[in-house]
Amino acid sequence: MTTLEPEPVAREVRFPDPYEIETPAGAEGWEEMYPYYLRFLPQRREADGGRTWFRDGMHFPEPMPPFDIVSAEQAFMSTGVMNTRVFALPPALGLDFRVLNGYMYMSALGVEDPAEIGRRAEEFAVRVGHYYKNWPSLYAAWEDKVKEQIAALKAITLPALGDFEPVENVLAGRGITEANDLLVAYQRVLASIDAVWNLHSEMLNMGYAAYLNFLMTVKGHFPEITDQAVAQMVSGVNVLLFRPDDELKRLAHKAIELGVTQQVTSAADFASLRADLGGSEAGIAWLKEWETSADPWFNFSYGNGFYHHHRSWSDDPTFPLAMVKEYIGRIVAGENLDRPLAEVEAQRDAVTAQYRDLIPAGPDRDAFDEALGLSKVVFPYVENHNFYIEHWYMTEFWRKMREFGDLFVRFGFFDRAEDVFFLRRTEVHDALVDLQIAWSAGGPPIGPVHWPPIVAERRRVIDALKHWTAPPALGPAPGEIVEPMTIMLWGITNDQVERWLAAAAAGDQTVLEGFAGAPGIAEGPARVVLSPDQLDELVEGEILVAPITSPSWTPVFARIKGAVSDIGGIMCHAAIVSREYGLPAVVGTGNATATIRTGQRIRVDGNVGVVTVLDD
Amino acid sequence: MAPKRIAWFEELRISDRPSAGGKCASLGELIAAGIPVPLGFTVTAQAWAEVIEFADLGHRIGDLTRAVDPNSSSALREVRQQAVEIIHGATLPPGLEEDIREAYATLCARTGRDDLPVAVRSSAVAEDGAANSFAGQQETYLWVQGADQVVLRVRDCWASLFTPQAVAYRAKLDQAHRDEAVKMAVGVQEMVDAEVAGVAFTVSPTTGDPSVMAVNASWGLGEAVVSGEVTPDEFWLSKIGLTVTRKTVTHKAHRCVPAPTGRGTQIVDVPADIADSPCLSDELLHELGEIALRVEKHYGTAQDIEWALARDPDGSHRFMLLQSRPETVNQATRAAIQERTAARTAGAQAYLSVLKGLGLPGQGPG
C-alpha cells in the first residue's frame, strides 16, 4: 500500500546543532573568509544554539565567496529593515542570518508581547495602508527609482591612475585627485547596492502578505486546495521574467526575415558571428536587433544573481545564441513559438470563476473578491521585481566590481579580475587604500605579495565546501511559522518542517516530498544540474534536478519533461516557469540534488508534490 | 386516478417518495436529469398497503408485534419467524403478482435478455435514515433471476420490516411514526455486472471542502466495499478541471461476484495480478467525476453516490449510478479541522486581521 501522507513526527526531534557541526576536510579556516557578525561565535552558543535556523539554499545554494556575501547581507538587511522599522509588521521582525561552512542560515525574529504587537499594528495600518491604497502609482515610481539607480551605477567611473593626474584636473584647479576618486568610486558602488536592496524589499513583503491573505481566505473555504491552484488564480501571464525568452524568439524571426539564418545557425560562437555579420547590411541590421534585445533583457543571470560567477546572458551569450539557433530550426519546421497568452489567461479566469461559484454569495464571496483583487494589484511587483533587481541590477553590479578587479590585475595584485571576489568587502577597501598609497607615492603596492596566496587558499577552501551537504535546518524544531516571506518565498511551512524532520528520522531516500509547484506527472531520466555551466548537458526528455532554477534557464524548459528543486515555495521561479510551460514541477524537496543521481529514472508528480526514484 | 402498484423509474421524480420510496424516487429523478441508471420499476408503497389490507396483515402481524416484549430477543426472533411465514404465505390482492411478473417480463424485453438478473431492494418512504436502517428498509437482494425469484424477493423485502431490530425500534415510536415506518416500496432493477464499483462523495468527507470529490473503488460489485470486505482504493479529485489529486491504492484481496449458480453473489479472491492495481484509471475517474458533478448540480447539494462500472462484451464500458443521496458532512469534523487550521496560522491571522481592516482596493474577477 502506498500512502502520500507524511508520518507524524515527535517534537523532541532536533536538527543538527550548529555548534556541533564539523568543518569538512580541506576547508579548515573557512571562518576567516566571513565577518565576525555572521559566524556562530562560541560566546553566543547558548543564545544561537537554542534557536531554529533554516538554510537559505534558495538564494544561496553554493558556498559564499568572501565578497559575494555582500549580496546576502543586503538581502537579509533590507527585508529586516522593511519588516521591523519601515512597515512595523505586528508579529514579525526581520531575519537574523549566519554563515556556516560557507552556507547561509536564517532565523526569524518575532514579537511576542501582545501590547507591542498592538503598538506595531497601529503603525502598520497607517504605513501599509498607504502603500496598498496607492500601489499602482507607487509601483510606477518604484520602476523609475530602480532604473535611475542602475543608470547611476553604470555612470560610476574608475579613475585612469596613469602616470600623472589628468592635466585638465590640474588646470581646473581641482585639488582633489584620482587617488580620492578611486576610494569614492568604491564607496559609491557599495552605497548603490545598499540603496537598491532597500528598493528591492520596499514592496516585496506587502506583496507576499497580500498573497498570503488571499491564500488563507481561499483555504478557509477549500481546506484541501493545492497551493499551486491558489497561485494560478493570481498569476499574471505576461511576466517580465519571460521577456528575455520572448526576445530570443524575436531574434530568430528577425534572422529569417533578414536572411541571415545560415550565418547564425553555423556560427561557432558569438564573437565569430559578430565578425561574420559585420560585413553585410543585413548582418549589421540583425546585430542591431541583438543589441536592442540585450539591453536590458539579456542582463539575465544564468543563476539567481547573488553570486559573481553566475554571469548573465550579456556577459556570456553562448546560451542565448544556442537558443536562437534552436528557435530558428523550430520556426523553419513550422512550429508556432508564440505563447498562448489569451488562452492561459482565459483558463486562469475560468478556474477562478469555478472556485468563486463554490463560495456562497454574500460576505464570504465578497471577501474572496477583495482578497483576490488586492493580490492582483500587487502581483505585477511580486513577479517583476526579480528581473529588475536580481538580474538587471546585479549583472551591472558584478560588472562594475570586475572593473575594480581589472585595476587590481593591472597593478599586479592578482592574476585574474575575478580574484577580487575572494576578498571581503572591507579587505577590498584595504587593498584600495594600499593602491591609493602606492599610486600616490610612486612606490610598489604591498597587495601583490600579500593577496595571491590568500586568494589561492580561499579558492581551495570554497571548493572543499562545495562537497559538503548543508542540512536544511539547524537547532531545535521550531514553533509556528508565521513570517510571510518565510512561507511564501522559501516554502518553509509547518508541514515542510515536519517533512524535513521525518526525512531526517526515517532516512528514506527513495521518495522525496516537496511542494506541488506545477501540476502534471512525468517520468524520465534525471539530470542533476548544480551550476549553470552544466545546462548544456541537458538532453531532450530529461527531468531537471537542481538546487534552484534560475528564470534565465527558462528556454531549457522547452527541452525537459519536468523539474525538481531542492529549495523553493510555490512562488519560486521554477514553479512559475513550469506552470507557464505546462511542465510538472516539485519544488522545495530539501535534498533532491543530494539524493538523485544523473541517469536515474524518476517520477515527478506535480499534482501532489512527490518525487519517486524508480530505479538505481 | 388510483395510485399505481407498479411505477417505472423513468416515470418517477423525487416528489414521488411517498409512493416509490426515497431510493427509487431518486433514481427516477436521476433519469430525468440524464444520468445513466439501470432500468427498473418500483412495486409501490400502495401495492404493499393493498397487501396489508387484503391479507389482513394489520391484524395478524399487528397482534404479534404489539404483544411482544421488545427486550426479549428470543420473543423477537419468534415474531420474525411467524411474520415471514405469514407474509410468504399471504394471498396477494388479485392481479398484483401478475403485475409484478408482467413488469419483470417487460424489463427482460427492454434489455433483450431472458431471465434478466436483477437487484431487488427495499426503498424506504420515511425520511429518517436511522428509522430506515432499523426498520429493515435497507434490504438488498442481488442477482435475482426469473419471475418466481423476483416475487419471492419482493416478499422478502416486505418481511424485512419484521426483523427483531425493526420491531424493537418501532415499539419505541408513537402510533403516527409507527404507521409511517411500515410504509415501504420495493425496487426491481437491472443488475449491473460490475467490473469495478464503489461510492463517490461530491464533497470532502473529511474536511467538507466543496471543491474536491472523494471516490472509493474496488473490484467487483459494490457490496464488497459497503460491507467492509475490502479496503477500497481511494481517489481524490479536484472538481476544478476534474484532475486526480491524490491516490491511495490498496491491496484488494477479495471481490464480490455473481455466484456460479446464477443466483446471488459470493466473495472470491482477486487474481494476484490485479489485486494491487488501481481499479480506475485517471480517464475513468474523470468520466465518473463528470457524472457525479451533474448529479450534484441537479440537486444543488453535495451527494453520496453508489456507482458501478459495467464492461460490455465488446470491451466498451459504461458507468451506472445505483443510488444518490444528499451527503451531510460531519459538522463536528469540519469544525475541528477549521480550528486546527486557525491555530496553526494564528500569528499570520493576527497580522492579516490588520490588513482586513484597511478597506483595500479590490476588484472582482472579470
Side-chain angles (χ1 to χ4, degrees):
Chain A
M1 174 165 157
T2 58
T3 177
L4 305 174
E5 292 297 317
E7 297 288 321
V9 174
R11 273 282 167 199
E12 308 74 88
V13 180
R14 285 180 60 99
F15 296 111
D17 182 338
Y19 287 91
E20 298 289 329
I21 284 189
E22 289 176 13
T23 297
E28 292 77 11
W30 64 268
E31 293 90 345
E32 61 93 30
M33 293 194 294
Y34 309 108
Y36 71 91
Y37 52 84
L38 292 186
R39 301 199 302 259
F40 284 103
L41 292 185
Q43 302 90 315
R44 282 186 56 86
R45 178 164 191 156
E46 203 172 324
D48 286 352
R51 301 169 65 183
T52 309
W53 298 87
F54 292 111
R55 185 185 158 201
D56 183 0
M58 171 168 186
H59 300 101
F60 310 103
E62 306 166 47
M64 303 301 299
F67 183 83
D68 296 18
I69 206 141
V70 70
S71 69
E73 290 175 349
Q74 295 301 342
F76 287 116
M77 186 162 51
S78 64
T79 295
V81 75
M82 292 300 157
N83 272 12
T84 310
R85 310 287 172 192
V86 176
F87 294 110
L89 261 69
L93 302 176
L95 296 156
D96 259 351
F97 53 105
R98 301 281 187 271
V99 59
L100 180 66
N101 285 344
Y103 293 85
M104 299 307 303
Y105 284 86
M106 60 189 179
S107 182
L109 296 160
V111 181
E112 311 257 307
D113 174 17
E116 180 61 12
I117 290 177
R119 188 170 82 101
R120 292 176 69 81
E122 280 174 33
E123 294 289 338
F124 175 84
V126 174
R127 294 157 187 245
V128 171
H130 174 75
Y131 265 74
Y132 280 141
K133 281 178 188 145
N134 300 290
W135 193 275
S137 62
L138 286 167
Y139 175 51
W142 182 90
E143 286 184 311
D144 290 341
K145 286 184 286 187
V146 173
K147 285 176 183 166
E148 278 166 28
Q149 286 289 337
I150 291 170
L153 173 74
K154 288 169 82 168
I156 296 170
T157 49
L158 273 60
L161 298 183
D163 289 344
F164 301 105
E165 181 75 16
V167 68
E168 57 272 21
N169 287 354
V170 182
L171 298 183
R174 185 172 176 241
I176 293 165
T177 68
E178 285 196 333
N180 175 259
D181 293 344
L182 178 64
L183 204 62
V184 169
Y186 183 60
Q187 286 162 350
R188 283 177 61 198
V189 170
L190 290 183
S192 165
I193 190 173
D194 201 65
V196 164
W197 276 89
N198 274 205
L199 294 178
H200 169 274
S201 303
E202 180 188 353
M203 299 169 87
L204 191 62
N205 280 15
M206 277 177 286
Y208 282 115
Y211 183 77
L212 190 64
N213 178 40
F214 179 60
L215 179 82
M216 290 173 61
T217 303
V218 174
K219 290 235 170 189
H221 292 291
F222 310 110
E224 299 178 37
I225 194 171
T226 59
D227 290 350
Q228 130 230 323
V230 182
Q232 196 193 353
M233 285 191 241
V234 295
S235 296
V237 293
N238 217 352
V239 179
L240 283 190
L241 292 177
F242 299 125
R243 180 67 182 273
D245 190 32
D246 289 343
E247 291 295 320
L248 298 179
K249 293 168 184 168
R250 189 185 75 84
L251 288 171
H253 281 292
K254 280 284 172 199
I256 294 167
E257 207 179 293
L258 292 165
V260 296
T261 55
Q262 177 57 35
Q263 291 97 313
V264 172
T265 52
S266 62
D269 55 44
F270 191 75
S272 64
L273 177 63
R274 188 191 292 275
D276 190 15
L277 290 177
S280 72
E281 209 169 294
I284 290 167
W286 189 81
L287 287 174
K288 217 169 239 158
E289 296 290 348
W290 177 284
E291 297 307 332
T292 305
S293 292
D295 190 13
W297 304 112
F298 293 174
N299 292 314
F300 201 35
S301 176
Y302 280 98
N304 57 20
F306 287 95
Y307 292 83
H308 75 272
H309 57 269
H310 280 180
R311 321 269 292 183
S312 70
W313 289 5
S314 39
D315 298 322
D316 174 6
T318 308
F319 183 70
L321 178 59
M323 288 312 301
V324 169
K325 291 179 189 178
E326 187 174 321
Y327 287 148
I328 288 172
R330 285 162 59 181
I331 294 167
V332 169
E335 197 176 322
N336 179 7
L337 300 180
D338 297 341
R339 290 185 294 129
L341 293 184
E343 210 174 288
V344 173
E345 197 163 356
Q347 201 197 349
R348 177 197 70 186
D349 293 344
V351 165
T352 307
Q354 286 181 65
Y355 277 110
R356 187 175 178 272
D357 284 349
L358 290 170
I359 299 171
D364 282 354
R365 195 182 282 178
D366 295 346
F368 173 87
D369 288 347
E370 190 183 67
L372 175 64
L374 181 63
S375 282
K376 284 185 163 178
V377 169
V378 303
F379 238 57
Y381 172 83
V382 170
E383 291 180 321
N384 291 338
H385 81 278
N386 182 259
F387 180 79
Y388 280 109
I389 309 293
E390 279 92 332
H391 293 277
W392 188 0
Y393 177 84
M394 289 305 286
T395 293
E396 298 290 359
F397 175 77
W398 299 121
R399 197 176 280 158
K400 188 59 69 181
M401 282 308 301
R402 279 188 196 95
E403 291 181 27
F404 286 93
D406 288 335
L407 192 67
F408 283 125
V409 170
R410 204 181 108 206
F411 284 90
F413 280 63
F414 323 122
D415 296 334
R416 291 177 275 184
E418 302 283 303
D419 286 350
V420 72
F421 300 112
F422 288 82
L423 273 57
R424 285 152 39 179
R425 69 162 151 179
T426 50
E427 293 171 337
V428 173
H429 183 273
D430 285 351
L432 286 170
V433 174
D434 179 10
L435 180 55
Q436 262 189 319
I437 292 168
W439 184 77
S440 302
I446 309 306
V449 297
H450 178 73
W451 290 114
I454 292 175
V455 168
E457 171 64 10
R458 289 178 179 181
R459 283 186 180 277
R460 214 181 46 69
V461 168
I462 293 274
D463 277 342
L465 293 174
K466 276 183 188 161
H467 297 104
W468 183 66
T469 302
L474 304 171
E480 299 300 326
I481 293 167
V482 299
E483 204 275 323
M485 288 282 281
T486 310
I487 297 169
M488 294 313 305
L489 190 55
W490 282 281
I492 298 170
T493 61
N494 297 304
D495 290 341
Q496 179 65 63
V497 169
E498 296 290 349
R499 279 196 287 266
W500 282 341
L501 286 169
D508 181 3
Q509 306 264 288
T510 55
V511 176
L512 300 168
E513 304 207 30
F515 286 91
I521 296 175
E523 280 185 24
R527 172 69 62 177
V528 180
V529 174
L530 296 175
S531 69
D533 52 20
Q534 291 175 289
L535 274 182
D536 290 346
E537 297 166 12
L538 260 172
V539 177
E540 177 118 24
E542 288 183 326
I543 293 171
L544 172 66
V545 180
I548 166 83
T549 76
S550 157
S552 80
W553 300 10
T554 301
V556 308
F557 278 66
R559 270 190 229 153
I560 61 177
K561 278 167 77 176
V564 179
S565 77
D566 287 348
I567 293 294
I570 50 159
M571 297 315 298
C572 80
H573 313 125
I576 291 173
V577 175
S578 295
R579 283 195 290 272
E580 169 77 18
Y581 274 71
L583 291 171
V586 176
V587 299
T589 59
N591 56 352
T593 56
T595 309
I596 297 167
R597 295 188 307 275
T598 291
Q600 278 182 321
R601 274 190 75 74
I602 61 173
R603 179 167 62 237
V604 179
D605 187 337
N607 298 325
V608 295
V610 171
V611 182
T612 312
V613 178
L614 301 173
D615 62 20
D616 283 327
Chain B
M1 193 179 84
K4 293 203 282 188
R5 291 167 165 178
I6 303 291
W8 289 88
F9 289 167
E10 61 266 32
E11 300 169 329
L12 300 172
R13 297 295 180 273
I14 199 72
S15 57
D16 289 311
R17 183 179 188 111
S19 64
K23 226 176 261 182
C24 294
S26 135
L27 289 174
E29 186 74 23
L30 290 177
I31 292 171
I35 308 293
V37 162
L39 290 174
F41 60 87
T42 308
V43 181
T44 62
Q46 170 65 23
W48 170 231
E50 284 184 39
V51 173
I52 294 172
E53 190 172 330
F54 187 79
D56 200 21
L57 297 182
H59 285 111
R60 294 165 67 194
I61 301 177
D63 290 347
L64 282 175
T65 55
R66 258 190 302 279
V68 74
D69 171 5
N71 297 315
S72 161
S73 54
S74 62
L76 287 168
R77 280 202 302 275
E78 178 62 23
V79 166
R80 179 205 200 157
Q81 188 56 39
Q82 293 188 37
V84 166
E85 278 167 27
I86 291 170
I87 289 171
H88 277 283
T91 310
L92 298 183
L96 177 58
E97 182 163 336
E98 289 71 19
D99 289 346
I100 296 171
R101 286 174 180 275
E102 194 185 309
Y104 177 69
T106 306
L107 187 57
C108 290
R110 287 178 67 181
T111 54
R113 203 173 150 192
D114 294 339
D115 283 348
L116 174 77
V118 291
V120 180
R121 334 170 77 180
S122 308
S123 181
V125 169
E127 298 279 350
D128 178 4
N132 300 337
S133 177
F134 281 113
Q137 299 193 3
Q138 303 294 331
E139 207 61 65
T140 293
Y141 299 94
L142 298 177
W143 226 271
V144 178
Q145 274 186 295
D148 292 348
Q149 286 295 315
V150 169
V151 173
L152 182 74
R153 290 312 192 189
V154 170
R155 286 182 190 256
D156 276 335
C157 283
W158 292 333
S160 70
L161 284 168
F162 302 96
T163 58
Q165 65 271 31
V167 172
Y169 177 76
R170 283 199 300 273
K172 294 179 207 147
L173 300 178
D174 61 30
Q175 189 60 45
H177 283 96
R178 205 177 301 163
D179 289 349
E180 195 64 18
V182 294
K183 288 181 184 169
M184 188 213 280
V186 179
V188 177
Q189 73 188 111
E190 177 190 4
M191 189 73 218
V192 179
D193 187 2
E195 179 179 87
V196 182
V199 292
F201 303 91
T202 66
V203 60
S204 165
T206 51
T207 66
D209 187 327
S211 72
V212 302
M213 194 185 292
V215 174
N216 280 359
S218 195
W219 300 113
L221 304 177
E223 274 57 33
V225 176
V226 176
S227 68
E229 277 294 329
V230 296
T231 303
D233 287 345
E234 187 171 290
F235 304 100
W236 292 75
L237 284 78
S238 167
K239 281 186 194 168
I240 284 70
L242 277 179
T243 50
V244 180
T245 53
R246 232 186 317 157
K247 295 183 189 186
T248 305
V249 178
T250 58
H251 177 70
K252 298 167 287 296
H254 306 294
R255 64 177 163 185
C256 182
V257 296
T261 58
R263 281 183 193 172
T265 58
Q266 64 178 21
I267 300 284
V268 297
D269 288 348
V270 170
D273 59 328
I274 60 166
D276 295 301
S277 310
C279 57
L280 286 178
S281 65
D282 287 10
E283 291 73 24
L284 287 172
L285 282 165
H286 187 89
E287 196 179 323
L288 175 61
E290 276 184 337
I291 296 170
L293 278 189
R294 263 159 55 207
V295 178
E296 181 184 63
K297 194 159 185 219
H298 180 76
Y299 282 115
T301 171
Q303 297 289 302
D304 167 0
I305 293 165
E306 273 179 45
W307 56 268
L309 175 71
R311 184 72 66 178
D312 290 330
D314 65 0
S316 65
H317 69 268
R318 58 207 162 99
F319 278 106
M320 296 285 220
L321 298 205
L322 308 180
Q323 197 178 156
S324 184
R325 56 184 167 241
E327 161 70 3
T328 44
V329 174
N330 185 332
Q331 289 301 323
T333 307
R334 180 153 197 203
I337 298 269
Q338 281 175 339
E339 201 172 303
R340 193 173 67 104
T341 307
R344 295 197 84 143
T345 54
Q349 287 285 11
Y351 164 37
L352 291 168
S353 66
V354 180
L355 261 185
K356 284 180 180 146
L358 290 175
L360 301 165
Q363 50 182 43

